[in-house]
């Protein structure tokens, strides 16, 4: 399910999925550098994560056409197995792009994930939503292969 809205602060999207994995496995996939690199299309060995409020992260991502681009950011909220608020540094902007990831246990083997972000323009929102949709697809496949 996807919802989009225009707010006073910008353009938002929210993506929700049910994943066939326990919350702890989803959290680990999102917050462990080795796992994240596998499903998020990062260059092996390029991911570094200090998952705590104020901690930083970096990764070099690989695009579908084989290009590479470095990303950096920080964590503003970390509530293990529940909520992760991740900032991504954006060249030319004073404030990071912020993505919120919320997890909830549906059953012993199912989790609900909600990814949300607010962007400055509809175009930025559309690109961010496309990227998040691809990430969730990759995460879903990774979790299935891990079981």
């Amino acid at each position: 399910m996807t919802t989009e809205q225009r707010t006073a602060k910008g353009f938002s999207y929210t993506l929700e999925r049910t994943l066939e994995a326990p919350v702890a496995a989803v959290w680990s996939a999102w917050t462990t550098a080795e796992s994240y690199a596998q499903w998020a299309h990062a260059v092996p060995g390029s991911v570094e994560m200090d998952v705590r409020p104020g901690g930083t992260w970096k990764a070099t991502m690989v695009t579908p056409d084989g290009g590479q681009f470095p990303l950096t950011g920080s964590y503003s909220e970390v509530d293990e197995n529940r909520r992760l608020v991740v900032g991504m540094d954006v060249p030319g902007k004073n404030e990071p792009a912020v993505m919120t990831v919320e997890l909830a246990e549906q059953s012993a083997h199912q989790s609900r994930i909600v990814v949300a972000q607010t962007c400055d323009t509809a175009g930025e929102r559309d690109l961010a939503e496309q990227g998040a949709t691809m990430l969730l697809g990759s995460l879903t496949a990774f979790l299935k292969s891990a079981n």
Side-chain angles (χ1 to χ4, degrees):
M1 182 173 94
T2 301
T3 58
E4 295 181 4
Q5 62 184 8
R6 171 78 165 96
T7 67
K9 290 184 173 182
F11 295 83
S12 300
Y13 72 85
T14 302
L15 302 173
E16 296 182 34
R17 302 282 188 280
T18 298
L19 303 173
E20 299 297 324
V23 165
V26 178
W27 180 265
S28 178
W30 206 282
T31 59
T32 304
E34 297 78 22
S35 295
Y36 185 85
Q38 290 179 44
W39 66 267
H41 307 292
V43 173
S46 73
V47 179
E48 295 179 18
M49 298 177 153
D50 180 8
V51 184
R52 61 181 175 84
T56 60
W57 63 269
K58 69 178 184 174
T60 299
M61 308 310 287
V62 179
T63 62
D65 64 3
Q68 295 185 8
F69 61 98
L71 294 175
T72 59
S74 61
Y75 301 98
S76 57
E77 287 183 47
V78 178
D79 185 358
E80 188 172 350
N81 294 330
R82 291 190 177 153
R83 182 176 167 91
L84 190 64
V85 179
V86 183
M88 182 176 62
D89 299 327
V90 180
K93 292 199 175 194
N94 293 331
E95 296 295 319
V98 177
M99 175 188 285
T100 301
V101 179
E102 294 183 335
L103 300 173
E105 193 169 304
Q106 298 286 93
S107 70
H109 302 290
Q110 278 190 332
S111 303
R112 189 80 169 152
I113 188 168
V114 178
V115 176
Q117 187 171 356
T118 299
C119 302
D120 293 335
T121 68
E124 288 175 5
R125 186 235 12 243
D126 293 347
L127 286 172
E129 182 178 354
Q130 181 182 23
T133 300
M134 288 173 39
L135 276 178
L136 288 176
S138 295
L139 175 62
T140 300
F142 173 78
L143 293 168
K144 281 183 183 176
S145 70
N147 288 336

